[in-house]
């Protein structure tokens, strides 16, 4: 029949009818609520919940891993992270009054300390001991680099706070950076962190140069495990120069990358700064990205400038603009609310994604079996040495393309190992 193309390969061409089913997501990896395997795993680690700059005169309502919470800093400067609903009759503590010590529920005046103990039940008769029997759910917090971290796991399993070397590097200031929400599951956001080939396509070849032109060169890719997680190594040939970009994934939901400012036009020994980014689940289908950034004081950036999300990271552009020049927000959040792994066709460039998911799954299963995830720290052994950096070397091109690829891969590995 004229105008109709006959299917050429059974079930492949015009195979829509045969491919309509959408199986469920991988619940073990992606669900984050209390009591879920993935949720219990994430709760074994300190998680950032809010920037210190966002704690002011009124309490802040938060949702973290499906739990409704309230966060505040009391008159003594202590941070409280409590269950949202008052233990008396459930009024939200977002309407509470922050006091010199703790927070007072607006409804009947019960006052809670930052650890959730009841300090006062003012309407009860003098001598009442009711308050001694009651507690408001609370989580321990600590502050680092302008971020408030919380430990939401079983009290007896609280780990030490992991200190990465990038928190204190001479010449750089660690500063709070951006916080922005993505309407999707946390894991696909982290998948992206170990998927360096997308920097050539999404950020250069397919939607126009979003960083530097050097990103448009296809890289030799490599991935390696590290005690804290894993790294990717992306090595690009740019004439007689070779640019090695290394990024870290720190389990369970942190990664760090160099700023996207490398144009690879001159030789450069190991250079940072980095942006450190957590993907903190709000619930199964919403996630906060929260960042700390190394900033050179010579850049003279205001805190507002440092706090602005990078190009295309957040929902700050019009739909049309995002369709014409899609970026990370669009690529990640459009993989469905929760990406369905059973429908994927993983390719050679997805090795990092496969490794990352294995790290997460191994951690989830360790926790389910009553053990610690491999990356969890029980004691502090000094700063954790990470690998993230840009290096540009002069390396004349090998004539044989295969030998050149080999040279790039070896060079990348050496840089990744700190050589
Ligand atoms: S509901 Fe909070 S004090 Fe009564
Ligand atoms: Fe990206």
């Amino acid at each position: 029949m004229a105008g109709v193309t006959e299917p050429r390969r059974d079930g492949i061409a015009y195979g829509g009818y045969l491919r309509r089913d959408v199986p469920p997501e991988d619940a073990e990896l992606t669900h984050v609520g209390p009591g879920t395997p993935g949720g219990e795993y994430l709760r074994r680690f300190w998680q950032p919940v809010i920037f210190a700059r966002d704690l002011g005169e009124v309490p802040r309502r938060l949702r973290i891993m499906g739990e409704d919470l309230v966060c505040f800093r009391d008159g003594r400067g202590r941070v409280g992270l409590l269950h949202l609903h008052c233990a008396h009759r459930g009024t939200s503590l977002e309407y509470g009054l922050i006091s010199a010590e703790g927070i007072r529920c607006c409804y009947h005046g019960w006052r809670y300390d930052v650890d959730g103990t009841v300090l006062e039940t003012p309407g009860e008769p003098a001598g009442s001991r009711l308050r001694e029997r009651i507690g408001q759910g609370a989580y321990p917090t600590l502050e680092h680099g302008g971020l408030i971290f919380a430990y939401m796991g079983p009290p007896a399993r609280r780990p030490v706070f992991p200190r990465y070397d990038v928190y204190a590097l001479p010449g750089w200031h660690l500063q709070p950076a951006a916080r922005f929400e993505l309407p999707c599951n946390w894991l696909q956001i982290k998948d992206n962190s170990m998927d360096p080939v997308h920097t050539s396509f999404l950020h250069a070849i397919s939607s126009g140069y979003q960083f530097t032109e050097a990103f448009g060169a296809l890289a030799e890719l490599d991935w390696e495990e590290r005690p804290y997680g894993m790294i990717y190594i992306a090595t690009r040939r740019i004439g007689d120069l070779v640019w090695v970009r290394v990024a870290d994934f720190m389990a369970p939901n942190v990664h760090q990358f160099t700023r996207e400012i490398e144009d690879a036009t001159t030789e450069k020994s190991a250079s940072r700064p980095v942006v450190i980014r957590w993907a903190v689940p709000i619930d199964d289908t919403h996630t906060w990205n929260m960042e700390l950034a190394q900033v050179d004081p010579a850049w003279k950036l205001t805190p507002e400038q440092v706090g602005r999300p990078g190009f295309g990271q957040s929902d700050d552009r019009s739909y049309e603009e995002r369709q014409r020049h899609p970026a990370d927000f669009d690529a990640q959040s459009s993989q469905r609310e929760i990406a369905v792994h059973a429908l994927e066709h993983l390719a050679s460039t997805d090795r990092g994604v496969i490794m990352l998911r294995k790290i997460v799954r191994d951690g989830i299963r360790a926790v389910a079996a009553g053990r610690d995830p491999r990356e969890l720290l029980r004691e502090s052994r000094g700063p954790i040495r990470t690998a993230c950096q840009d290096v540009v070397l002069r390396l004349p091109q090998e004539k044989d393309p295969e030998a050149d690829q080999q040279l790039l891969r070896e060079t990348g590995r050496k840089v990744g190992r700190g050589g």
Side-chain angles (χ1 to χ4, degrees), residues 196-202 204-205 213-221 234-238 243 349 405 408:
V197 75
H198 93 271
T199 65
S200 298
F201 290 96
L202 181 68
I205 299 166
E213 285 196 22
F215 276 92
L218 283 183
E220 283 301 313
L221 304 177
T235 310
R236 288 167 165 93
R237 161 137 337 260
I238 310 206
W243 167 31
T349 51
Q405 275 185 327
L408 295 190

Side-chain angles (χ1 to χ4, degrees), residues 17-28:
Y17 188 84
L18 308 170
R19 292 190 173 71
R20 295 177 304 179
D21 292 346
V22 180
E25 66 270 13
D26 187 330
E28 183 186 37

Side-chain angles (χ1 to χ4, degrees), residues 192 198-199 202-203 211 260 313 327-328 332:
N192 172 275
H198 93 271
T199 65
L202 181 68
H203 299 308
F211 308 143
E260 297 93 348
Q313 297 300 309
D328 277 312
Q332 295 167 29

